[in-house]
Each structure stands twice: as structure tokens, then as C-alpha cells.
Amino acid sequence: MTLSRRPRFKISRGLLYTLLIVSSAVMAFPLLFMFLGSIGTTADYTRSPWLPIPSVPTLENYAIILNPGKTDVWKWVANTLIRAAWYIVIPGIISVLCGYVFAKLSFRGRDAAFTFLLMSLMLPGIVFQVPTFVMMARFPLAGGNNILGQGGTGFINQWPALLIPGLVSVYYIFMLRQTFYSIPADFEEAARVDGAGTLRCLFSVYLPMLKPVLTVLVIFQFVGIWNDYIWPLFVTSGNPQIYVMALGFQYLQQAGNSLKGLPNTVTDYPFTFALAACSILPLVIMFLFLQKYFVEGVAGFAIKG
Amino acid sequence: MIDATTSNITNVHVTDTLSRKEAFRRWRYRHRHAVEGWTILTPILLYYGIFFLFPVIASLLLSFMKWSGLSGSPEWVGLANYRRFLSDPTYITIIVNTMVFAVSILIVQTALAVVIALMLNAKIKGRGLFRAAWYVPTLTSAAVMAQVAFVFISPADGVINMVLRQLKLPPIIFYTQVDWMRVIIIAYSVWRGVGGAIILYLAALQGIHPELYEAAQVDGANGRQLFRHITVPLLAPMTVFVLITGIIGTAQIFETVMFLSKGGPANLTNVLMLQIYQDAFANQSLGLASTGAMILGLLLIVFSSINMRILSRGRVGN
């Protein structure tokens, strides 16, 4: 009798591979189409709309997009990176501290505070985004506002609006708390016998053990901020200087023809493709190198939670 | 204490402070957890109160008001905004659309995820590559990628219509045909959303102990029975998680509709998030926007509790 490790379904290997290959190809098709289209011309795309195989592959679109003299792409990328760093460091610190408090300290009111924080996971972001927009617009003594927040535009179209909201991420506090739970108290006790204080324990004892979960935090915050569109659209659509990548690309994609000095007779889709490719490639490369952490980040919360 | 034996006044004073210091030290040690806990939590809870609790309460209050947000002060209008949402045919359509999109995307996505995860869980070569093909779309920006999707459905020079022209078929003007737009919006959302669910199901499948299957096989269970009595019940908790977190995502569909159909034709694909955005920023009607946000929040709570109710009966996946 042979025992297979996994259940055998009535489906042959050949059929399994065929289904997988065909369905995966369907999933990959739009991205493949986009990459091929981005290294061709409008003519290539019109000639063979099934799959725009370029007659002469060209990196012209990429050269224009990445040329600082022609576009603001690098500035937008820099803005996005500044935001990403901020939204990794601050929520990271907050999550580690809170995770420690909720898992390793016991005091009255702790669970009430945790439940209070958990509320935000249940509501859609828009419930607090609209009033937060008003708060930013009516921020006292900012952007021409008086002390009552009247008269000016507050932080709208200014950096603080992109950096103030959303610094407490309950999702990561929850994840860190679960991780702290899984670390036995012995490590901290040993360090305390040697005279270490709480901060010392956090940095020297716990931090090395938190590396995997913090890697997950860094990756997912990065992906989230890299693609963030809704909030920057709400608060910065009037100031191209502080556009983030996703917002800037949306405006830039109509500019393909004029950047090439061509008349606007046909839509320059290859340019749109190249822009999209630029926004996706960094994340794809990241995914290929850090696949393990991506999987852990998606699944870890569900399994541990 | 060394000083306790002397009667010198200054020494008494020193003793006093020392013991007070000592007492404080002891008090602090005894209450170390509470002291450190609240030192860390106070600023965080304060921030959270200002940027979460306050906006939520403000949203709730604004939903009973009329306010442009630009000038003047809010005016109390009672339930007028809610009445508008429940009587104006446009808003009713928007609520229904949101629910239809949220549920259909979720169902298609979850069903597909189970099938793909089962296939990927089999002993196959190149699992990493297949997994990448299914997961990479979730990394794309909804806004940027929707513009690529739009290239496919553009009326004159879109990919699909150019292919149709080469095949000598009449073109389809997608954005005038609501059924097509619905299918396209659902397909695009599933394309971007299915990857996460697959990873979740894969993790759940790999968490099932092989011994369970082996024991059942020894008892003579066939493949179908193994699936029916081991795989399905053990996937149920993950299904709860996938559906509840999933509905929170799919009900907030925004960029997809904004770029692909702009809510058209005639609001037939419009959704709550897009309408909230338009009410708040284009129509400068923060009251209506807040009402929309409250209704979306309510829908999510109702959806999640229905999901939990159904799934706790253990009747899913049979």
C-alpha cells in the first residue's frame, strides 16, 4: 500500500500542469503585454494588438520617463521614498512598543486600551478620511489659517498632510503582540538580572528576535505607501511638487506625445505601459528576492491571529 | 540603613530623602508594568483619539448635517441625508452596486483562490514561479494599473477593439454597456485581489498535518472523502478570515471604478467610495459624504456579522 503525503484527487498530472500553466499565463498576460508594449512604438501596438511584439525594441519611453530634465518622476519617487521611510520608522517603533506593552506587561486598563485600538480595524478608512481632510484643511496657524483654523487652506497641498495621519497601525501592533507572546519570558529575565532596563531589553534582547516580523512590516508598509493613491489625491492634488509616484504617474501618462514632440493624434499607449512598468518593476524585484517574507506577511496574521 | 543610628539633624534629613527615594523606587518597581505601560500608551492613545476616534465621531455628526467644508458652519439637518440615500434612486443604485460588486468579486476571488491553492499545494515543479504569476498582480498600484486596463477597453484604439477589427467583427463600445463594464470591473478586481487569498489558503493547506490524510487512507477513505471530510472542514477557519478581511477590501472598491468606468453609464457601476469622493470634493457636500461613509461602515459590519453567522454554522464549502 502506498501512502501519499497529500490527498490524491482524480486529476492527472498532465491536466494539473495544463490548467496551472494556462491559468497562470492568463494572470501574467496583462503584465507581459504591458512590458512588451512599453519597449515598442504605437505602430507596433497597432500592427499586432494581440501581443505588441516590438519590431525594434527601444527604451525610448523609459529614457524619457527617467530623464530628470523632462519629467518630475525622480522627484515623485523621492517624495514616495520619504513617505515610505517615515511610515516604516514611526509605525514600526510604535508597533514594537505597543506590542511589548500588550504582550509582556500586565496592568489594569491594558485590555481596554487594546480593544479601543482594535476598533479601527472594523471601519473603512473613508469614515475617518473625510473628517481628517477637514482637520488638515482647518489646522490652526497653518497655511494662512488663523488660530481658529479659518481663512487659509491649512496643510492641504503641504507636506504635513502626507505625514500626519495613519501613524498608529493597529494591524502591526496586533502582529507584534502575537510575536512578543511567542517569545518566552526567560530572555528578558536573564537580561534584567544583569541590570538591563526596559529599553535595553527591547533593543538588545527582543529586537534581534523581531527581525522576521519587522521585515514583513517594512515590506508591506513599503508596498502600501509605494502604491498609495487615495489619500495623496485627497490632500495634494493641487501641488505637483509633492506628488507621490502613483498620483504623478496618473497625470504624466497623458503627456507621452508632447514629451516626444509628436502631435496628439494617437494616444501614446506605449508610454502609459512604460510608466506602469516603472511603478511595478521595483516591487516585482523586491518580491522575487523576498518571496518568503511576503508569504509570511500575508499568512502570518491569519495563522497566528 | 547606616544613618538610622545617628541623631544628627542633617542625617535625619538625608535618611528621609533616601527612604523616600527608596520608597519611590520600590513603588515604581512594584508598579513597573503600569508605569511603563501608560508612559508608552498615553501619547499613542492620544494620537489615536485625535486621528481616529475624533474623525469617526465627527463623521457620525456630519452625517446629520449640511456643510460645504469650505466656509460657514455646519447646519443640522437631522435624517435628511440618510433619507436621501434611501429614497434617491441614484443613491439606492450606488448602494446596490457596491453590494453586488463586493459580494461577486469576493465570491469569484475566494472560489478561484481555493482551486488554485489546491493545485499549487500538489507536488508540482516550479511552484514559486506559478505562485509569483498569481501574486504579482496584487503588488500593482490599483490606480496605475487601471490605466493599463483601460487601454484594453478603450473604444477606438483599445486592444480588444483592435483585435475585433482584425477579426472583422463590430467593435464594442464598452463604457456604454453596463453588463460589459460590470464584468470588466469584477475581472480586474479579481485579477488584482486573488493573490493574497491564494497565499492564505496555501498556508492553511500546508498547516494540515499529513498524518490526518494517512490515517484516513489507512481506514480506506478515497480522495473525494479525504477532501470532503478533512480538507474542507480544516479550511473553514481560513475561509472565515478570507471572507471577512476580503469584504472589507472589496466593499471599498474605488480606483478601479474611477478609472475604468467613472461610475457610468448613468451611475450603473457607481459605488459608494467614488460617490463619497465626489460628494466631498467635487460637490462640496461633506454631510452627504459622511452619510455615505457611515452607510459603508454599517454595510461592512452587517456583511462581516452575516459571514461569521453563516460560517460558524459550518456550512460553507460543502
Side-chain angles (χ1 to χ4, degrees):
Chain A
M1 177 179 216
T2 54
L3 295 177
S4 62
R5 280 171 62 81
R6 297 203 171 87
R8 279 171 297 133
F9 305 107
K10 295 220 163 110
I11 171 173
S12 75
R13 300 254 92 188
L15 186 60
L16 179 69
Y17 274 108
T18 315
L19 280 175
L20 264 178
I21 291 170
V22 170
S23 61
S24 304
V26 170
M27 283 301 282
F29 177 73
L31 292 174
L32 182 69
F33 193 100
M34 182 191 82
F35 283 117
L36 283 176
S38 73
I39 54 170
T41 60
T42 319
D44 294 323
Y45 157 80
T46 319
R47 198 189 63 245
S48 63
W50 299 88
L51 195 61
I53 297 160
S55 42
V56 186
T58 164
L59 291 175
E60 189 200 2
N61 290 314
Y62 292 94
I64 292 174
I65 290 167
L66 300 178
N67 181 347
K70 293 199 167 181
T71 70
D72 286 332
V73 165
W74 287 110
K75 176 175 275 170
W76 298 335
V77 168
N79 291 343
T80 311
L81 291 179
I82 292 170
R83 274 195 93 208
W86 175 257
Y87 278 101
I88 285 168
V89 172
I90 305 294
I93 293 172
I94 290 176
S95 305
V96 170
L97 290 175
C98 284
Y100 175 79
V101 168
F102 288 127
K104 292 290 174 195
L105 302 180
S106 58
F107 54 92
R108 269 170 81 188
R110 184 195 65 173
D111 295 338
F114 190 62
T115 315
F116 176 61
L117 287 178
L118 275 185
M119 283 194 320
S120 75
L121 287 183
M122 284 178 253
L123 287 168
I126 193 76
V127 172
F128 31 99
Q129 273 165 346
V130 170
T132 307
F133 173 84
V134 178
M135 278 166 71
M136 291 295 124
R138 296 277 147 265
F139 211 90
L141 302 177
N145 279 346
N146 61 21
I147 189 102
L148 293 172
Q150 299 293 318
T153 53
F155 284 141
I156 298 306
N157 294 327
Q158 292 189 33
W159 261 110
L162 285 178
L163 298 177
I164 295 177
L167 291 174
V168 172
S169 171
V170 179
Y171 183 90
Y172 294 118
I173 293 179
F174 194 98
M175 231 164 80
L176 262 301
R177 172 176 169 264
Q178 301 303 101
T179 314
F180 272 112
Y181 269 143
S182 68
I183 303 173
D186 313 10
F187 294 100
E188 183 177 345
E189 279 161 14
R192 286 202 182 265
V193 169
D194 293 342
T198 304
L199 280 178
R200 188 72 204 273
C201 283
L202 272 174
F203 273 95
S204 317
V205 178
Y206 285 114
L207 208 54
M209 286 189 254
L210 297 175
K211 223 183 252 167
V213 67
L214 289 179
T215 312
V216 169
L217 181 148
V218 170
I219 291 174
F220 279 84
Q221 282 294 85
F222 185 81
V223 173
I225 294 294
W226 183 260
N227 287 333
D228 192 16
Y229 176 77
I230 298 184
W231 182 250
L233 171 74
F234 285 2
V235 293
T236 65
S237 46
N239 183 359
Q241 291 301 306
I242 62 168
Y243 276 0
V244 292
M245 188 276 301
L247 194 56
F249 280 17
Q250 181 220 326
Y251 289 99
L252 187 62
Q253 60 125 6
Q254 290 136 6
N257 281 323
S258 62
L259 282 169
K260 290 174 189 167
L262 297 171
N264 220 0
T265 44
V266 284
T267 324
D268 192 351
Y269 288 135
F271 187 74
T272 303
F273 292 147
L275 268 179
C278 287
S279 85
I280 293 162
L281 266 177
L283 298 184
V284 172
I285 292 166
M286 217 170 108
F287 174 73
L288 294 179
F289 282 104
L290 302 168
Q291 219 181 107
K292 179 182 125 198
Y293 291 103
F294 275 90
V295 172
E296 200 166 295
V298 179
F301 188 58
I303 303 279
K304 288 175 193 154
Chain B
M1 299 282 110
I2 330 148
D3 302 316
T5 48
T6 65
S7 55
N8 189 308
I9 292 171
T10 43
N11 273 353
V12 167
H13 184 70
V14 168
T15 315
D16 207 16
T17 27
L18 259 183
S19 62
R20 214 179 287 161
K21 246 184 201 165
E22 175 68 15
F24 177 68
R25 211 182 62 81
R26 284 187 184 167
W27 178 87
R28 240 192 63 166
Y29 186 76
R30 224 174 320 118
H31 296 272
R32 181 180 79 82
H33 286 200
V35 171
E36 284 174 1
W38 287 115
T39 312
I40 292 170
L41 286 186
T42 307
I44 289 162
L45 291 178
L46 209 63
Y47 172 91
Y48 184 79
I50 296 170
F51 290 100
F52 173 73
L53 196 63
F54 174 73
V56 169
I57 294 170
S59 224
L60 181 64
L61 289 176
L62 274 175
S63 72
F64 298 106
M65 294 178 183
K66 193 180 163 192
W67 190 33
S68 74
L70 292 176
S71 54
S73 39
E75 178 194 333
W76 188 268
V77 293
L79 286 169
N81 292 331
Y82 287 91
R83 228 175 280 134
R84 171 112 185 251
F85 260 90
L86 300 175
S87 62
D88 186 331
T90 309
Y91 279 101
I92 295 173
T93 315
I94 290 169
I95 294 176
V96 172
N97 287 342
T98 308
M99 293 200 286
V100 170
F101 276 132
V103 172
S104 40
I105 292 167
L106 191 65
I107 290 173
V108 176
Q109 177 171 302
T110 311
L112 188 62
V114 172
V115 174
I116 300 298
L118 282 170
M119 292 206 281
L120 288 178
N121 193 44
K123 272 184 188 155
I124 49 160
K125 289 198 179 78
R127 181 185 299 149
L129 198 67
F130 288 123
R131 196 171 57 185
W134 285 90
Y135 189 71
V136 164
T138 64
L139 299 175
T140 60
S141 149
V144 175
M145 208 50 208
Q147 286 156 356
V148 174
F150 184 78
V151 177
F152 280 77
I153 60 162
S154 181
D157 50 3
V159 175
I160 296 175
N161 277 327
M162 291 210 301
V163 168
L164 288 177
R165 194 180 306 150
Q166 288 199 345
L167 296 174
K168 304 271 184 288
L169 289 170
I172 305 168
I173 309 302
F174 286 101
Y175 57 71
T176 59
Q177 298 187 22
V178 64
D179 291 333
W180 271 115
M181 282 323 296
R182 287 198 180 119
V183 169
I184 287 160
I185 288 169
I186 291 171
Y188 175 76
S189 304
V190 170
W191 181 77
R192 274 196 73 249
V194 72
I198 290 175
I199 303 259
L200 287 170
Y201 274 115
L202 256 181
L205 284 170
Q206 279 161 3
I208 301 177
H209 284 289
E211 288 83 10
L212 282 175
Y213 291 117
E214 284 161 15
Q217 277 177 324
V218 169
D219 291 344
N222 62 27
R224 252 187 79 186
Q225 288 169 322
L226 292 180
F227 182 71
R228 166 73 185 75
H229 295 288
I230 297 179
T231 315
V232 169
L234 288 178
L235 284 186
M238 185 53 85
T239 305
V240 179
F241 183 83
V242 167
L243 289 183
I244 289 173
T245 52
I247 198 82
I248 292 171
T250 58
Q252 295 187 67
I253 177 171
F254 174 64
E255 291 105 321
T256 308
V257 178
M258 185 173 179
F259 286 106
L260 289 182
S261 75
K262 298 182 176 61
N267 280 313
L268 288 173
T269 61
N270 200 353
V271 289
L272 271 169
M273 276 291 288
L274 185 58
Q275 189 58 38
I276 293 168
Y277 170 70
Q278 271 158 355
D279 279 338
F281 299 104
N283 307 338
Q284 264 131 34
S285 168
L286 286 188
L288 270 177
S290 302
T291 311
M294 292 325 284
I295 288 176
L296 184 59
L298 261 170
L299 279 182
L300 283 182
I301 291 169
V302 171
F303 270 135
S304 307
S305 49
I306 292 174
N307 268 339
M308 257 192 276
R309 187 78 43 94
I310 295 175
L311 290 163
S312 61
R313 279 196 223 124
R315 290 177 55 86
V316 136
N318 295 4

